[in-house]
Amino acid sequence: MPTTIPAFIDAGKARAASADAAMLAQAAKKAQAALQWALAASLYDQAADALQPNPHTGKETMQAQAHRRSARNCQALVGTTAPPRAIKDAPEYGHMTRQAIAEHDEEWRGHGL
């Protein structure tokens, strides 16, 4: 049973990291609502950093990548008083999101899934 205890500990760390990332992302959303773009960008980056890499690929998870995109969007708005835009009003963001999803799907097709 030596492999079950480390697996249990790793699963606990992953759950804690996910909960931390969720709280940071929620705080970032509140900062966005207050038009605090630099704070929101920092919190989104911290949320992405808190998440563990994908155990199969070693790369960032889709959730972490989404937090990084949100951080870049917020960073672009630093120094402005622009309210957040809906995705339908930001075609470049929608294109980036669709491209990331397509790349992810293509990667998993190569694994026979």
Side-chain angles (χ1 to χ4, degrees), residues 32 37 68-78 93 96:
Q32 277 182 295
W37 301 115
R68 297 269 185 228
R69 282 191 303 276
S70 294
R72 285 192 303 270
N73 288 342
C74 290
Q75 191 61 44
L77 293 169
V78 170
Y93 178 77
M96 288 183 339

Side-chain angles (χ1 to χ4, degrees), residues 31-75:
Q32 277 182 295
L35 303 180
Q36 297 294 318
W37 301 115
L39 176 59
S42 174
L43 290 167
Y44 276 124
D45 273 332
Q46 290 176 48
D49 291 341
L51 293 171
Q52 295 180 349
N54 183 324
H56 303 291
T57 64
K59 298 178 183 177
E60 283 193 331
T61 61
M62 289 294 283
Q63 184 180 12
Q65 291 173 13
H67 290 325
R68 297 269 185 228
R69 282 191 303 276
S70 294
R72 285 192 303 270
N73 288 342
C74 290
Q75 191 61 44

Side-chain angles (χ1 to χ4, degrees), residues 90-107:
E92 68 281 358
Y93 178 77
H95 173 73
M96 288 183 339
T97 303
R98 287 188 299 277
Q99 183 179 7
I101 291 169
E103 288 171 3
H104 179 264
D105 290 348
E106 186 62 33
E107 178 182 337

